[in-house]
Amino acid sequence: MRIRNTALAAVATLAVSAAIPAATATATTATAGTAGTATAETGTTAAGTTAGTTAAASPGDIVDSAPSAFHPLPGQPTNTKAWKIRYRSTTADGAPNVVSGTVIVPQDGRTGPRPLITYAVGTVGLGDSCAPSNNFPHGTAMEANLIQQLTWRGWAVVVTDYEGLGTPGTHTYTVGRSAGHAMLDAARAAQRLPEAGLSADGPVGIMGYSQGGQASSWAAELQGGYAPELKVKGTATGGVPGDLLRVADFNNGSYGSGLIFMAAAGQDAAFPELDLDSYLNPAGKVLVDFMRNNCVAIDATVGSFKRISDLTTSNPLDRPDWQARLNQSRLGRTAPAAPVYQYHALADELIPYGVGRQLRNDWCARGANVTWETIWVGEHVSGVITEAFEAQNWLADRFAGRPTGGNC
């Protein structure tokens, strides 16, 4: 456990970038088939390719792709090629869906299998303009500078937009199983994209923080059963909201209360029978409708310091159906098949340190190989920056085949 220095300038850059909208990309039409399969209309994106009509598409199959660009800051060049993709995935309830994302490959002349990181960003918002794939070409995406550090190591990166973010429907924010599927299928899709030149036998790392920490942790838990063919060497995950009910109680009426209502909208998008609107009073309906169309910086601001009782006629989190769905996103019931590097800030003001620690304890009790790190100085947002280098080094050791015993 090491002391980390905060990086306030970088935090400010991340926060500002989350509020800058980009043009929403056009998506081709997809229709759902039976669980585990899907059919799609043939379509193309500008200067792109399409997989055409398939009778029994598999998770990770490419629907279509188009050349894109990766800029950490506006106009900043990178020695990479990028493609926007839409690919097959699976909802939390097991139905087929289509998710968008971005594949980024360094142009460094490397030969042989190149490591691939499937990366999940922290909360960007619910509006389609917030999707990473819509912001990478403009240099306005959150965490792009951290993703650039991965490409400097010669690693390819695929960044999922998550279900419903950049594709039709509302983003299923905080629905863990959906996010885990989206991450694993993004890795499959990147390896199946011919232009990327990635090997299906290449090593894979899973990485994410905050919302991305939930997604990456779910991907780690699901991988052994859902995507066992992926050669996952390890997962680096931080600031993980492993228990949504505890996180909601912690944030009710505080600085992070807007995240509660964003999460409620995300759960309602995945499970319409929850009928969120039936619990909202007029002010609550206005706020949640606003959140569904905007990005995190403004959503978090307008939603802060509100209590659930301020915006509802009755608290949905007191209902058994809501509690059951939120508990379906609880982590720690399955030991990840590959080693995990998990980190959490002691003074995290959004995701309680105890929630992260409990996940570590649950994984350890189930025999997982976990390396746990406490960030002693800093808070939630700075944690993704202050621990980034150590998380990358840990993944580099896994790609190099070096063993890790963890510290359970």
Side-chain angles (χ1 to χ4, degrees):
M1 299 181 182
R2 293 169 292 276
I3 296 177
R4 307 287 182 240
N5 293 319
T6 57
L8 296 179
V11 172
T13 300
L14 290 175
V16 171
S17 67
I20 303 175
T24 301
T26 302
T28 52
T29 304
T31 56
T34 58
T37 64
T39 59
E41 295 182 7
T42 301
T44 59
T45 53
T49 60
T50 180
T53 301
T54 57
S58 299
D61 282 354
I62 300 285
V63 175
D64 52 32
S65 65
S68 185
F70 172 63
H71 298 294
L73 294 171
Q76 181 182 357
T78 60
N79 187 29
T80 63
K81 285 187 177 180
W83 299 266
K84 180 168 182 174
I85 58 172
R86 292 194 311 131
Y87 60 93
R88 303 290 176 189
S89 192
T90 309
T91 69
D93 279 344
N97 64 359
V98 175
V99 178
S100 57
T102 304
V103 179
I104 306 162
V105 180
Q107 300 302 292
D108 54 9
R110 181 172 182 155
T111 59
R114 181 191 297 274
L116 169 67
I117 299 291
T118 181
Y119 191 100
V121 297
T123 302
V124 294
L126 303 181
D128 284 342
S129 65
C130 319
S133 67
N134 290 337
N135 285 275
F136 285 138
H138 306 283
T140 53
M142 287 185 71
E143 300 179 47
N145 288 296
L146 301 178
I147 293 167
Q148 184 183 36
Q149 293 175 23
L150 304 177
T151 67
W152 285 343
R153 293 174 179 259
W155 302 343
V157 184
V158 60
V159 184
T160 183
D161 288 336
Y162 300 117
E163 180 182 358
L165 189 60
T167 49
T170 300
H171 172 32
T172 55
Y173 177 59
T174 70
V175 178
R177 188 172 295 269
S178 166
H181 289 155
M183 285 198 80
L184 294 169
D185 290 326
R188 287 167 156 165
Q191 291 180 340
R192 296 173 192 176
L193 181 68
E195 301 95 311
L198 301 174
S199 170
D201 293 325
V204 175
I206 300 170
M207 192 171 197
Y209 185 87
S210 192
Q211 181 190 2
Q214 182 200 39
S216 54
S217 295
W218 265 97
E221 288 197 2
L222 291 170
Q223 181 263 323
Y226 183 76
E229 81 283 4
L230 292 176
K231 306 300 190 292
V232 173
K233 302 302 182 182
T235 297
T237 187
V240 182
D243 184 336
L244 295 179
L245 285 169
R246 284 185 64 187
V247 172
D249 183 65
F250 182 81
N251 284 283
N252 192 18
S254 75
Y255 167 78
S257 60
L259 300 175
I260 299 175
F261 300 99
M262 291 173 61
Q267 295 287 327
D268 184 70
F271 312 116
E273 73 277 6
L274 293 177
D275 195 12
L276 174 62
D277 283 355
S278 69
Y279 295 90
L280 298 174
N281 63 27
K285 290 178 181 178
V286 169
L287 177 65
V288 172
D289 284 344
F290 178 87
M291 287 179 165
R292 287 177 175 133
N293 294 288
N294 286 283
C295 298
V296 64
I298 190 168
D299 285 349
T301 300
V302 300
S304 62
F305 301 110
K306 291 181 171 59
R307 299 194 63 82
I308 294 172
S309 58
D310 295 336
L311 299 172
T312 62
T313 55
S314 63
N315 186 348
L317 301 189
D318 292 335
R319 291 290 303 266
D321 55 344
W322 274 85
Q323 291 175 0
R325 286 300 193 181
L326 289 171
N327 276 323
Q328 285 179 357
S329 287
R330 183 171 177 174
L331 285 154
R333 297 185 176 103
T334 301
V340 174
Y341 182 88
Q342 186 193 354
Y343 50 102
H344 209 109
L346 183 64
D348 193 317
E349 81 287 12
L350 296 177
I351 313 299
Y353 178 79
V355 169
R357 184 79 182 183
Q358 185 62 54
L359 175 58
R360 177 261 189 188
N361 292 343
D362 290 342
W363 276 342
C364 287
R366 285 163 175 75
N369 182 340
V370 181
T371 299
W372 166 263
E373 288 289 342
T374 296
I375 303 172
W376 294 101
V377 177
E379 37 63 69
H380 183 75
V381 176
S382 65
V384 68
I385 301 163
T386 56
E387 196 66 20
F389 190 68
E390 292 298 331
Q392 293 167 25
N393 283 344
W394 184 89
L395 283 169
D397 285 343
R398 305 293 76 73
F399 292 149
R402 301 185 183 98
T404 176
N407 56 11
C408 282

